[in-house]
Amino acid sequence: MSWQEQYKSRLCTAEEAVRHIEDGSAVVLAHCVGEPHVLVEAMVANAEQYKDVEVKHMVSLGSGGYAAPGMEKHFRANPLFVSANTRNAIVEGRADFTPAFFHEIPLLLREGKIKCDVVMAQVTPPDEDGYCSLGTSVDYTYQAIKSAKIVIVQVNDQFPRTYGEKVHVSEFDYIVEASTPVYESKPTQIGALEEAIGANCVSLIEDGSTLQLGIGGIPDAVIQLLGDRKNLGIHSEMISDGTLALYEKGIINGKYKNFDQGKMVVTFLMGSRKLYDFAHNNPEIEVRPVDYVNHPAVIMKQNKMVCVNSAIQVDLMGQVASESIGLKQFSGVGGQVDFIRGASMAEDGKSIIAMASYTQKKDGTIISKIVPFLDHGAAVTTSRNDIDYVVTECGIAALKGKSLRERAKSLISISHESARDELQAEFEKRFHEKFYAIAKTF
Ligand code: COA
């Protein structure tokens, strides 16, 4: 049978496709922008027909109807990264959370440690040989397609065709054609705070560095402030729109990358239509599986690898909580530790945790993000052994190779002024500063 015949024979509606999901099965949704909302909505609409269907994904931008109150009989969400649509369900005990490094997810799928009976993903229309691109989201989605017993795809002609791993029509069981706009993220707000943090980060980035930057005001401020650097490269979990401007100016050219020279390599994309149009059929940007892009053993081979990630709290030892506020799971490790470890092992690599020194509650109360102890129940995302630089608007704390005493001192110096007395009191209690001062006089 030709691929065209295979394609035609597997065409169906979303409603027909989701009827093949069996009770008790595990459904993996493609990551982030790749989530096929048409299929997810059809699955949720068919809820009455299911019992005990587990739904797994990393970043999910959809309505998350399967995690809504009242869906417990039909679905149980079990994400690997918590987004707004599952956060309350987890707090209320109606959903689970599975911690895992992003780079490890394909391996866990291959080994069956993460069960995947059905995968639902978005793809482009096939090329002349019957291959479809996974567009914005190759990450773990590629492996999930290889591992699943049932593969359901939404073929979307608005999805960008990117360079990277492709999948053949013969690998799909049910094909749903639906032309839908691709999710676009809103531009971030960059204020004086983000600019001050960004400027401190930029002071650590040398010409010829290869960068990983996440999404949000701080990474975007870093990008904006890199205008006078030269020959930067991108090897990053993702890129958003800000990176394009630097690329168009020739500041990002990948000239000194040790491999994938001249190309920007990512595992997923999230931005505006402009970013998707840029990536469409563009060999200068590759979207590759996460067990390649995020693997520390791959990242470490880039010279001057610099990664910038954020955190919720950092304690005086340099332990970083990035994914939970106390016991409340807020997000997940994502690729943070993948890149921190990779950059640490790279020649002249640097890893940066960049955050405001404080967060402000709705009633105006200031909460320091540098704390004597992490909140009760908080998960340590990046350990004190892995931490390198911590950057706030107040300065830079270089922690690698430093004693606990030196770390605490350095972190206090970049903390919010309202927290310094409390932090200093804890410092004196913990490190017996009096004795240290006496020893230094001899
Ligand atoms: N105590 C209490 N609340 C805190 C807090 C603290 N120390 N720090 C942050 N918060 C609250 C904020 O007030 C905010 O609340 P809101 O949603 O009600 O406004 C919320 O947590 C998010 O804080 P914000 O500073 O806006 O976070 P962010 O969107 O910049 O995300 C992380 C920061 C750390 C949560 C995010 O970077 C993350 O999930 N990191 C882990 C994954 C990762 O690094 N991946 C790799 C990059 S692609």
Side-chain angles (χ1 to χ4, degrees):
M1 217 196 273
S2 69
W3 73 256
Q4 289 89 346
E5 287 165 329
Q6 288 176 342
Y7 186 91
K8 269 195 200 131
S9 70
R10 293 163 197 194
L11 272 177
C12 61
T13 64
E15 293 69 27
E16 285 163 348
V18 299
R19 278 188 215 135
H20 297 275
I21 298 171
E22 290 179 2
D23 290 350
S25 56
V27 177
V28 172
L29 306 183
H31 177 59
C32 201
V33 176
E35 182 176 337
H37 301 296
V38 168
L39 303 177
V40 177
E41 295 306 325
M43 177 181 76
V44 173
N46 202 34
E48 289 300 324
Q49 306 308 314
Y50 307 126
K51 255 199 316 216
D52 194 25
V53 169
E54 194 184 19
V55 183
K56 307 175 190 211
H57 48 74
M58 276 206 38
V59 174
S60 168
L61 304 165
S63 60
Y66 46 84
M71 284 291 177
E72 301 82 80
K73 275 189 288 183
H74 312 297
F75 299 109
R76 186 144 182 106
N78 180 8
L80 297 135
F81 191 98
V82 179
S83 310
N85 61 12
T86 48
R87 207 166 282 138
N88 284 343
I90 293 170
V91 171
E92 291 161 17
R94 294 181 290 101
D96 295 309
F97 167 72
T98 299
F101 296 125
F102 201 178
H103 87 270
E104 241 179 10
I105 295 175
L107 178 67
L108 299 176
L109 285 164
R110 279 196 293 278
E111 291 177 342
K113 288 177 182 158
I114 292 180
K115 196 177 155 215
C116 174
D117 298 307
V118 180
V119 62
M120 301 209 292
Q122 254 185 102
V123 298
T124 62
D127 63 14
E128 62 278 11
D129 298 316
Y131 284 93
C132 301
S133 161
L134 288 168
T136 59
S137 307
V138 176
D139 43 69
Y140 63 81
T141 308
Y142 179 71
Q143 182 58 47
I145 289 176
K146 304 282 168 196
S147 298
K149 294 179 200 129
I150 298 177
V151 180
I152 306 176
V153 292
Q154 174 194 349
V155 174
N156 185 358
D157 59 7
Q158 300 187 44
F159 213 37
R161 174 179 298 283
T162 55
Y163 275 72
E165 277 66 4
K166 298 183 185 73
V167 276
H168 195 257
V169 161
S170 58
E171 298 181 67
F172 306 149
D173 297 289
Y174 303 101
I175 300 173
V176 176
E177 287 181 339
S179 179
T180 53
V182 180
Y183 173 90
E184 293 183 63
S185 54
K186 295 188 186 77
T188 47
Q189 302 294 324
I190 302 174
L193 181 63
E194 289 80 12
E195 276 183 6
I197 302 163
N200 285 334
C201 292
V202 166
S203 71
L204 294 169
I205 300 174
E206 294 170 29
D207 290 347
S209 297
T210 299
L211 307 179
Q212 176 257 332
L213 297 160
I215 191 164
I218 297 171
D220 284 352
V222 171
I223 290 167
Q224 273 193 11
L225 294 164
L226 282 168
D228 63 351
R229 293 294 187 275
K230 294 185 198 70
N231 299 320
L232 300 176
I234 293 289
H235 183 99
S236 187
E237 182 167 306
M238 53 95 65
I239 52 165
S240 48
D241 283 64
T243 313
L244 280 193
L246 282 188
Y247 180 82
E248 282 160 0
K249 286 185 194 149
I251 292 164
I252 291 173
N253 57 19
K255 194 170 163 188
Y256 292 118
K257 285 175 83 175
N258 267 354
F259 55 95
D260 292 330
Q261 244 163 24
K263 289 179 195 162
M264 294 194 274
V265 173
V266 297
T267 198
F268 75 96
L269 297 169
M270 177 162 67
S272 70
R273 187 69 234 181
K274 189 178 174 209
L275 178 70
Y276 307 143
D277 289 342
F278 170 81
H280 183 67
N281 280 334
N282 184 353
E284 287 159 14
I285 174 161
E286 284 188 2
V287 189
R288 305 286 315 277
V290 72
D291 47 349
Y292 171 72
V293 179
N294 278 35
H295 203 296
V298 173
I299 298 164
M300 67 175 274
K301 291 184 190 149
Q302 292 289 9
N303 271 341
K304 290 192 184 172
M305 183 74 214
V306 182
C307 64
V308 182
N309 292 290
S310 198
I312 287 172
Q313 283 184 325
V314 178
D315 75 9
L316 286 180
M317 296 190 276
Q319 300 194 103
V320 181
S322 305
E323 54 183 296
S324 69
I325 303 173
L327 265 177
K328 182 178 176 181
Q329 192 67 40
F330 184 81
S331 56
V333 59
Q336 179 167 123
V337 174
D338 297 344
F339 275 92
I340 286 181
R341 293 203 171 141
S344 296
M345 289 185 266
E347 231 24 72
D348 297 323
K350 289 177 189 151
S351 78
I352 302 171
I353 288 291
M355 62 178 195
S357 68
Y358 66 97
T359 187
Q360 201 160 9
K361 278 203 207 154
K362 288 197 179 73
D363 65 4
T365 316
I366 298 275
I367 303 173
S368 173
K369 287 166 76 94
I370 295 180
V371 287
F373 302 96
L374 298 180
D375 280 359
H376 180 71
V380 174
T381 309
T382 293
S383 87
R384 62 185 190 173
N385 308 299
D386 286 311
I387 192 71
D388 191 2
Y389 292 92
V390 179
V391 168
T392 70
E393 73 283 9
C394 306
I396 300 170
L399 305 185
K400 204 86 181 170
K402 298 286 162 55
S403 69
L404 290 177
R405 189 186 157 278
E406 289 166 325
R407 285 167 181 235
K409 200 163 202 158
S410 193
L411 285 164
I412 292 168
S413 75
I414 63 160
S415 67
H416 192 262
E417 55 183 10
S418 66
R420 287 196 187 164
D421 287 349
E422 186 201 349
L423 292 168
Q424 188 60 34
E426 173 60 28
F427 178 89
E428 277 157 25
K429 195 162 119 198
R430 204 180 291 183
F431 297 105
H432 309 288
E433 186 69 345
K434 268 187 304 199
F435 298 122
Y436 184 80
I438 293 165
K440 281 281 168 192
T441 58
F442 289 105

